[in-house]
Amino acid sequence: MFKKILNLFGNDDDKKSSSDEEKHSKKACINDEQDDDDDDDDDDDDNDNDDTRQWPEEERGQKVAAELDPVTLHGLHYTEEQFDAEVEKRVQQLIKEEKEDGGEVEQVDIDNFYLNVRRDLYQEWTGANSNMMLQWEQANSMKYTGRAAFGNTQHDENNPLLAPIHGVTLQDYAAISYYMASGSDYNAIMNQLGIDDAVYQEASTLWTKRMQQDTTATVTVLFSQYYGSADQHPKLQAVAVELSPKGKETVEKMKSDRFFYEELCGARRAASECGMDGSQWIMDNYEVPLGEFQKVAVYHGQQDQKHIVFEDQMKYSDYQEKKVEEYKKKFMEEQGGGVADDISF
């Protein structure tokens, strides 16, 4: 989910489809009888958007049988120490059994043992369904995986990777990125912050390097979180470029209508795959600059993380993939055929 959001901050070509894990989980949840109907539903978007019959009832929404801690989402009927001790006990037993069977246990195997045992034990002790388990996993991502999770990461003033660079904070850097992508004048941005071009260029390089070096992804996650509220930066609101009425209407619809947002994501990707500038196509047709588009992506990412419902996320992902194919066909027809049509053998 977070990966989908970050892809919007890179090149259009970097946009990927759902992960292998998502595909595996989707196959586990969808009944086989639905497969034969896939090709017949292309002309009925409303049915595609609303159909949840293929998901087992117990896996819809978030369900849990125990009372949970509001922060950690662990059950209140046990302690975290008890949970961790039981996980350790079960993992060590799995490692022992694997070795007794003559198997070679590598670190990747051990990591998978911990991941799956934690998931199984959480559901066993709390009665949580898969969606609730994924929500818990996100809330405890740093503790159990050493990786920051989008929407669950706080700014730690004692983290040296978050210290300002030449006076440019991570909040500043996110806001600068947003305003530049939204069409604000670069020099005006620099003047408002009181920094010169050389300072910013070096700060930008070093912030990017920190993101690459940060094995916890904390810097990248916080950058995305700050990007989502970048238009509230106290020093930069004066340089904002006013959206057109059509642009404002589109942004509001993208936020309120998830399927419309996924359609535009699909169109943007399709345009890129057809050799076009996807972001410029959105600007030309909907008057929404890249910065605003990315901010809406962050908004939906935050909403998804507040309440993980896997079947909804897969529905959105499938809908976007469908729109990619529809717009690719449309763009290629407008261009007079695909790239291969221009090659003579």
Side-chain angles (χ1 to χ4, degrees):
M1 189 184 323
F2 175 51
K3 186 182 292 183
K4 287 176 67 177
I5 298 169
L6 290 185
N7 284 335
L8 284 170
F9 290 90
N11 295 328
D12 289 327
D13 292 336
D14 293 336
K15 190 73 172 73
K16 304 295 184 183
S17 60
S18 56
S19 68
D20 291 339
E21 181 178 348
E22 290 176 327
K23 292 177 181 176
H24 175 75
S25 299
K26 178 185 174 186
K27 289 179 181 178
C29 292
I30 297 179
N31 294 330
D32 292 337
E33 62 262 28
Q34 294 295 321
D35 293 342
D36 295 333
D37 297 332
D38 289 345
D39 295 334
D40 298 328
D41 293 337
D42 289 347
D43 297 326
D44 192 352
D45 288 348
D46 291 338
N47 288 341
D48 286 346
N49 297 353
D50 298 334
D51 184 18
T52 57
R53 291 172 298 170
Q54 68 268 39
W55 296 95
E57 179 61 36
E58 64 273 13
E59 290 300 332
R60 295 184 197 170
Q62 290 184 332
K63 295 187 173 90
V64 64
E67 188 176 356
L68 305 179
D69 180 281
V71 177
T72 67
L73 300 183
H74 271 291
L76 293 180
H77 59 291
Y78 62 84
T79 66
E80 287 190 53
E81 289 75 16
Q82 290 173 327
F83 181 88
D84 294 342
E86 182 64 21
V87 168
E88 186 65 27
K89 174 184 172 182
R90 296 188 184 192
V91 168
Q92 292 306 319
Q93 181 63 29
L94 287 172
I95 294 174
K96 178 182 176 182
E97 292 173 358
E98 186 71 19
K99 289 182 177 179
E100 288 176 347
D101 291 339
E104 184 176 339
V105 183
E106 300 180 354
Q107 187 58 49
V108 65
D109 301 314
I110 296 175
D111 292 341
N112 284 330
F113 286 158
Y114 276 107
L115 173 67
N116 292 313
V117 168
R118 279 195 301 265
R119 289 177 167 181
D120 291 343
L121 184 62
Y122 181 74
Q123 292 186 280
E124 177 185 325
W125 281 15
T126 65
N129 67 353
S130 297
N131 286 321
M132 192 66 236
M133 180 271 292
L134 290 172
Q135 190 81 54
W136 164 79
E137 199 168 57
Q138 287 290 310
N140 294 275
S141 178
M142 183 61 79
K143 175 181 177 179
Y144 291 125
T145 70
R147 299 278 295 180
F150 185 69
N152 292 287
T153 302
Q154 303 297 319
H155 191 111
D156 182 2
E157 295 291 347
N158 296 317
N159 186 343
L161 290 176
L162 300 178
I165 299 176
H166 302 321
V168 179
T169 67
L170 184 57
Q171 294 95 322
D172 291 336
Y173 183 52
I176 292 170
S177 300
Y178 160 74
Y179 279 103
M180 288 178 61
S182 297
S184 296
D185 181 73
Y186 173 76
N187 291 325
I189 295 173
M190 295 299 105
N191 289 337
Q192 285 294 116
L193 292 175
I195 58 178
D196 59 34
D197 177 66
V199 169
Y200 171 70
Q201 294 303 329
E202 184 169 354
S204 177
T205 298
L206 293 176
W207 273 121
T208 301
K209 186 173 293 187
R210 284 188 184 181
M211 291 182 188
Q212 295 168 342
Q213 295 174 340
D214 179 17
T215 58
T216 70
T218 298
V219 180
T220 301
V221 169
L222 283 174
F223 171 86
S224 298
Q225 291 179 185
Y226 292 142
Y227 196 101
S229 58
D231 58 339
Q232 301 302 311
H233 192 288
K235 294 183 179 180
L236 294 179
Q237 294 182 45
V239 302
V241 174
E242 184 76 10
L243 281 175
S244 68
K246 181 177 181 178
K248 290 180 180 179
E249 180 181 352
T250 300
V251 168
E252 288 306 311
K253 186 175 181 182
M254 287 172 65
K255 293 174 70 174
S256 62
D257 184 344
R258 182 61 180 266
F259 288 99
F260 177 66
Y261 162 73
E262 296 294 344
E263 177 174 349
L264 293 194
C265 285
R268 182 172 179 261
R269 289 175 53 199
S272 177
E273 291 181 26
C274 290
M276 303 161 58
D277 185 333
S279 298
Q280 189 60 49
W281 186 89
I282 296 291
M283 184 65 186
D284 293 341
N285 289 273
Y286 293 94
E287 300 179 14
V288 175
L290 177 60
E292 289 294 334
F293 196 96
Q294 291 170 329
K295 193 153 72 70
V296 174
V298 172
Y299 167 79
H300 284 300
Q302 291 171 331
Q303 298 305 306
D304 289 343
Q305 293 291 25
K306 287 178 182 178
H307 192 72
I308 294 177
V309 180
F310 191 75
E311 63 269 26
D312 285 347
Q313 293 175 17
M314 286 305 304
K315 195 188 324 181
Y316 298 144
S317 178
D318 290 345
Y319 187 76
Q320 184 181 141
E321 292 301 321
K322 175 182 173 181
K323 290 302 175 182
V324 169
E325 296 306 314
E326 288 181 6
Y327 277 92
K328 279 173 63 176
K329 181 179 179 180
K330 173 180 182 295
F331 293 146
M332 286 191 291
E333 288 176 350
E334 291 175 351
Q335 294 172 351
V339 174
D341 295 338
D342 298 327
I343 302 176
S344 299
F345 296 93

